């Protein structure tokens, strides 16, 4: 425990709080009791990462807050750095992260010049120098769209300006399209030890309908080749629930991954962005409808079963590793709210209790760097108990949490506080309480984000609004 006042609540008080909740809150926190938790535990499924809302900083004070953080040393804990490459060669139909068309040559060179300048601006600060970085992630967008020269000079600049731990995980995210040999070797020479490739599906028809260019066969060949170099962890993403992707196609996708003997895989649920191109196409019926929640639940269950039969190590609810080469460090640090220093237009990161989001307009990003500023567009101060929420979210992402230990560390009787929810969730089959651990069942795993968000929001309703101190 961190020497704080211990917060306790008795069950009677909790029941009173619970019965006084609005019907809307009750439906958000408590699962439906319909005997089918996998398909219908809640009315809506949350797809984004769970978390607590913070308070936006006055734009005038953001620069001062940032400078103050960088003048200190920060926590001595594992850190990550994130570099965003906000360009794509095509706009995939389902994607909510597309920002700018990729233009080789001058524009690409300019962006890499600026992101290196942004790195140089902070390289000598006490914060950056005080502790090693354990994960570096080049994400996007499409980092693999950059030329081999630009990939290499960016990676070299990162090695020069950030104190990287000896075993730092350095990931380049990309796609097979235009990921030529010269780029692959530039990455390896630049210190990359992990490729994360967005495959989504190996089925050519499904791929083409989503705007992915390469055929499934070409993707397979390319992955086999890069994997045969045996230089890096090879990790891919697969998505379930895409239009035209039947259960049979999905099972073939997961089985193909296993046949390829790569190092790791993420099995992601399709996230349909509101007012996005996929939602629009489905509404206009120019494309087959994506899978509904029931079908997605079945696809999740089937993916989990195939991975179980292959005896792969489960590193989180959606991520598996085959070899010890796959460590998944960046995602683990990011999901549990550890320091993540953002670089590049549209990058986001967390430092010392603040979330920072950088300018997503390229002209604004360039202008701010020319003015010698960190190009932050928005910042949120995280709520008081954010460390607790992040740790809770990190544990839930692993499919279990130890509320007693977590509570002892942060000064709350979490098992008591969450008792009404835990009791009901266990009854409907979303969790099992086992030797102090709250373990998610298969249905609980599918609804994990809802469960975690419900815990965070319930905590706010019960504790933050009406604190009860001993
Ligand atoms: S899925 Fe990747 S490559 Fe496709 S638009 Fe989105 S960020 Fe770009």
């Amino acid at each position: 425990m961190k020497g704080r006042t211990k917060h306790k609540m008795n069950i009677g008080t909790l029941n009173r709080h619970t019965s006084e909740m609005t019907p809307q809150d009750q439906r958000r926190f408590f699962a439906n009791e319909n005997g089918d938790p996998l398909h219908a535990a809640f009315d809506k499924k949350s797809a984004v990462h769970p978390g607590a809302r913070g308070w936006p900083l006055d734009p005038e004070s953001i620069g001062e807050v940032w400078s103050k953080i960088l003048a200190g040393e920060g926590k001595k804990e594992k850190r990550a750095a994130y570099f965003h490459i906000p360009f794509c060669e095509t706009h995939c139909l389902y994607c909510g992260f597309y920002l700018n068309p990729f233009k080789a040559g001058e524009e690409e060179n300019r962006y890499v010049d600026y992101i290196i300048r942004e790195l140089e601006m902070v390289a000598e600060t006490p914060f950056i120098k005080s502790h090693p970085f354990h994960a570096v992630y080049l994400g996007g967008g499409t980092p693999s769209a950059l030329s081999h020269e630009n990939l290499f000079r960016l990676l070299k600049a990162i090695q020069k300006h950030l104190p990287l731990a000896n075993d730092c995980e350095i990931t380049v995210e990309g796609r097979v399209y235009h990921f030529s040999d010269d780029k692959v070797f530039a990455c390896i020479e630049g210190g990359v030890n992990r490729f994360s490739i967005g495959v989504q599906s190996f089925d050519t028809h499904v791929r083409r309908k989503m705007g992915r260019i390469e055929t499934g066969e070409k993707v397979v060949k390319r992955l086999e080749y890069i994997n045969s170099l045996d230089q890096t962890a090879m990790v891919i993403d697969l998505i379930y629930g895409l239009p035209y992707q039947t259960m049979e196609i999905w099972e073939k996708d997961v089985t193909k991954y296993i046949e390829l003997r790569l190092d790791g895989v993420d099995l992601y649920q399709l996230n349909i962005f509101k007012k996005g191109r996929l939602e629009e196409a489905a509404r206009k019926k120019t494309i087959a409808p994506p899978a509904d929640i029931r079908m997605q639940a079945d696809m999740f269950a089937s993916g989990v079963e195939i991975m179980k039969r292959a005896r792969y190590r489960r590193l989180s609810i959606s991520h598996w590793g085959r070899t010890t080469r796959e460590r998944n460090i960046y995602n683990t640090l990011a999901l549990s709210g550890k320091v993540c220093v953002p670089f590049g237009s549209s990058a986001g990161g967390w430092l010392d209790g603040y979330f920072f989001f950088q300018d997503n307009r390229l002209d604004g990003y360039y202008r701010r760097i020319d003015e010698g500023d960190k190009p932050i567009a928005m910042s949120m101060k995280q709520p008081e108990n954010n460390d607790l929420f992040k740790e809770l979210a990190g544990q839930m992402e692993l499919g279990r949490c130890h509320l007693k230990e977590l509570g002892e560390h942060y000064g709350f009787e979490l098992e008591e506080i969450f008792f009404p929810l835990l009791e009901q969730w266990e009854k409907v089959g979303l969790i099992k309480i086992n030797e102090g651990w709250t373990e998610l069942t298969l249905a609980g795993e599918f609804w994990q984000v809802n469960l975690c968000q419900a815990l965070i929001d319930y905590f706010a309703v019960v504790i933050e609004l009406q604190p009860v101190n001993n």
Side-chain angles (χ1 to χ4, degrees), residues 44-102:
K44 268 198 223 152
K45 186 159 189 287
S46 311
V48 290
H49 298 306
R53 276 212 203 107
W55 292 271
L57 284 192
D58 167 11
E60 301 296 312
S61 64
I62 294 176
E64 197 183 317
V65 168
W66 174 259
S67 304
K68 208 167 155 194
I69 292 173
L70 286 213
E73 297 201 338
K75 279 191 198 166
K76 299 274 180 282
E77 59 179 22
K78 285 192 168 51
R79 296 170 165 190
Y82 177 78
F83 291 80
H84 194 74
I85 310 297
F87 305 103
C88 297
E89 289 163 296
T90 58
H91 186 170
C92 308
L93 189 66
Y94 55 83
C95 184
F97 302 106
Y98 176 91
L99 278 172
N100 308 291
F102 176 71

Side-chain angles (χ1 to χ4, degrees), residues 354-373:
Y354 292 87
F355 171 71
F356 296 98
F357 180 72
Q358 305 223 119
D359 202 327
N360 62 6
R361 298 154 311 153
L362 284 173
D363 54 350
Y365 172 73
Y366 293 142
R367 182 176 45 75
R368 294 284 300 279
I369 298 215
D370 282 337
E371 289 165 2
D373 288 341

Side-chain angles (χ1 to χ4, degrees), residues 4-16:
R4 300 184 192 171
T5 310
K6 195 156 190 175
H7 291 66
K8 281 182 99 158
M9 299 199 80
N10 66 46
I11 305 301
T13 313
L14 283 167
N15 284 339
R16 181 171 53 75

Side-chain angles (χ1 to χ4, degrees), residues 271-326:
N271 184 10
I272 304 173
F273 291 89
K274 276 216 168 4
K275 299 197 180 142
R277 292 166 73 235
L278 176 59
E279 191 189 62
E280 170 110 352
R283 193 173 48 75
K284 288 186 178 159
K285 298 196 171 40
T286 55
I287 193 156
D292 61 14
I293 283 294
R294 300 185 77 81
M295 175 72 170
Q296 286 189 343
D298 288 335
M299 291 172 126
F300 171 75
S302 153
V304 170
E305 183 55 31
I306 296 172
M307 298 309 293
K308 209 179 196 174
R309 286 204 302 264
R311 304 292 192 278
Y312 279 29
R313 279 185 307 136
R314 196 154 186 195
L315 301 176
S316 76
I317 281 179
S318 56
H319 193 87
W320 285 261
R322 185 179 70 85
T323 63
T324 47
R325 203 166 217 175
E326 169 53 343

